Amino acid sequence: MSARPVIAQPQASPRAISLALPFDPFLVIGVFGIAIASLMTLKGATAQDVPGSPNYYVLRQAMFFAIGTLAAILVSRVDYSRLREIKYALYAGLVLAILSVYFLGADTRGSRRAIPTPIFEIQFSELGKVILIVVVAAFLVERARYLRDGNTAWRAMILAGVPAALVISQDLGSGIVYIASAFAVLFVVGTPGRQLWGLFAAFATVCVLALAVAPAAGVNVLKDYQRDRLTSFLHPSSDPADPGYQQNQSKIAIGSGGKTGRGENATQTKLNYLPEHHTDFVFAVVGERWGFVGAGLVLSLYALLIWRGLRILTISKNLFGALIAGGIVGMLFFEVVVNVGMNVGLMPITGIPLPMLSYGGSSVISTLLAIGLLQAIYSQARSATASNSRTLNF
């Protein structure tokens, strides 16, 4: 009996495989839902902010979403595991980019936060959040055999602390997010609780020294406006010159929205009683215009993103992907909690934007890049599972 000829099956090219990788539909729904909410909110809140250009902020935010979505799609098609090989180059680039702002950035409200370009101002402190998560995750994977060693956690936090310290004078909020993201990655990797508490105690000590001890000794670690914003929520005032004025107006706006909102009668925003209504306090605009229902819907969209991020963490094909997903989830959760808490008067004013809802090119694009990484982790996990299934069936 003659043997049956073996017919070679055509193999898909690497490019075809990468283009065929699946997307997580829930991430897509969450992102587009928040994008629509952002554009609708900005349209109502900023119609009178730029004379003669009622759609100025809306059109620019739509452009930021378009750029960020394209970048996210490109990142989602890349093998994220290769980023481990260039972790030191990424870290050096991050530090140099932050330092470049001191020399090339434009002064805005007493500090240099971004480098102006013809399209938008590039804020490397925002873009650096995602890079730092990748770097810390890569470092911990490299030290996987020494995770119980206390030096590993401290070295990882120092790795995050250097760019965070450089960023704080430019953007206090981003610097805090750097530290929070590093904590999230350390938590996911299984750092012992006593080490995490030790790091938290060290961070709290630094905060006390910067806010109380150093100023009393005549050393100003933070700028006066940064210190005032951090402490104003403890003693809110109706004085328009007081930093607590912003939070008072925000709480008034949210409270006046009631269950279903005031719609076009949202006077706190229209009459400019609410400062920074397109950036830091955009959630108050949502609360005033669409009330509890609208605010609940927006928070549900964030909950959807965080849930999918946690799900992606559990199915990642390797530890590196799980740590990146954990860092991104920690970053998003921290930013949402702090920004919403800031709007309702429970958190200090740190300048942390509400991801993708607040106006801002660098913030929107960096968040979408993070979503792109989550998609990459999801796609490659699904692809690896399907490949293993075919092998077992064969």
Side-chain angles (χ1 to χ4, degrees):
M1 181 181 293
S2 60
R4 295 179 60 185
V6 178
I7 301 175
Q9 298 295 324
Q11 298 295 321
S13 66
R15 177 177 176 81
I17 292 174
S18 66
L19 291 176
L21 289 175
F23 281 101
D24 185 334
F26 293 101
L27 276 182
V28 175
I29 291 171
V31 167
F32 278 94
I34 295 173
I36 292 171
S38 174
L39 296 177
M40 291 176 62
T41 303
L42 290 176
K43 183 174 178 59
T46 65
Q48 300 175 12
D49 286 7
V50 180
S53 299
N55 295 320
Y56 175 83
Y57 288 104
V58 177
L59 294 176
R60 290 178 66 83
Q61 186 80 335
M63 178 184 67
F64 300 150
F65 273 113
I67 295 172
T69 300
L70 177 60
I73 293 173
L74 294 175
V75 169
S76 70
R77 306 294 90 178
V78 173
D79 183 2
Y80 66 88
S81 297
R82 301 297 296 272
L83 296 175
R84 284 182 57 192
E85 302 171 8
I86 58 172
K87 58 182 178 297
Y88 296 119
L90 288 173
Y91 188 74
L94 168 61
V95 173
L96 290 175
I98 294 171
L99 290 174
S100 70
V101 177
Y102 288 100
F103 304 100
L104 304 176
D107 287 325
T108 304
R109 299 180 183 178
S111 64
R112 293 188 177 186
R113 301 183 180 183
I115 297 176
T117 69
I119 301 177
F120 66 98
E121 292 186 338
I122 300 177
Q123 199 166 346
F124 287 119
S125 59
E126 285 286 341
L127 299 174
K129 297 174 185 176
V130 183
I131 296 175
L132 185 69
I133 290 172
V134 172
V135 171
V136 173
F139 170 77
L140 290 174
V141 170
E142 190 177 74
R143 298 274 302 175
R145 295 183 178 181
Y146 309 99
L147 293 178
R148 292 285 173 179
D149 186 350
N151 290 332
T152 297
W154 282 98
R155 288 170 64 181
M157 192 55 68
I158 291 172
L159 199 67
V162 171
L166 294 174
V167 162
I168 282 177
S169 64
Q170 302 173 5
D171 184 354
L172 178 62
S174 292
I176 297 174
V177 173
Y178 282 27
I179 300 299
S181 300
F183 267 107
V185 178
L186 286 169
F187 177 80
V188 172
V189 82
T191 302
R194 65 181 182 278
Q195 295 181 21
L196 290 176
W197 280 112
L199 290 170
F200 181 79
F203 177 70
T205 301
V206 170
C207 291
V208 171
L209 290 174
L211 291 173
V213 178
V219 179
N220 293 317
V221 179
L222 300 176
K223 294 181 175 63
D224 290 341
Y225 80 90
Q226 291 178 324
R227 189 170 59 253
D228 290 342
R229 293 181 74 181
L230 284 174
T231 58
S232 62
F233 82 109
L234 297 173
H235 45 81
S237 169
S238 59
D239 181 2
D242 191 280
Y245 170 79
Q246 293 177 312
Q247 282 188 329
N248 280 332
Q249 295 302 318
S250 176
K251 289 187 287 185
I252 291 172
I254 293 173
S256 66
K259 294 181 180 179
T260 57
R262 303 181 65 190
E264 294 301 318
N265 296 319
T267 54
Q268 287 294 113
T269 303
K270 279 189 174 182
L271 300 180
N272 285 324
Y273 286 116
L274 179 63
E276 308 297 337
H277 49 254
H278 62 305
T279 53
D280 294 355
F281 292 94
V282 70
F283 184 75
V285 179
V286 174
E288 184 182 20
R289 291 184 66 85
W290 293 294
F292 177 81
V293 173
L297 177 60
V298 168
L299 292 178
S300 297
L301 291 170
Y302 285 116
L304 176 63
L305 289 182
I306 292 169
W307 167 61
R308 291 312 294 174
L310 291 173
R311 172 60 179 160
I312 290 169
L313 185 158
T314 63
I315 66 172
S316 171
K317 68 179 184 180
N318 54 30
L319 177 61
F320 185 47
L323 295 184
I324 292 176
I328 292 172
V329 169
M331 177 188 75
L332 292 175
F333 180 78
F334 183 79
E335 289 180 336
V336 172
V337 168
V338 172
N339 182 276
V340 173
M342 179 179 75
N343 275 253
V344 299
L346 297 178
M347 291 282 186
I349 304 174
T350 56
I352 295 176
L354 195 54
M356 293 185 289
L357 196 71
S358 295
Y359 172 82
S362 295
S363 174
V364 169
I365 293 172
S366 64
T367 303
L368 286 171
L369 284 174
I371 298 297
L373 273 176
L374 286 179
Q375 285 285 7
I377 298 166
Y378 171 84
S379 299
Q380 291 167 44
R382 289 287 303 274
S383 180
T385 301
S387 177
N388 292 336
S389 177
R390 286 195 297 270
T391 302
L392 291 174
N393 290 335
F394 178 77

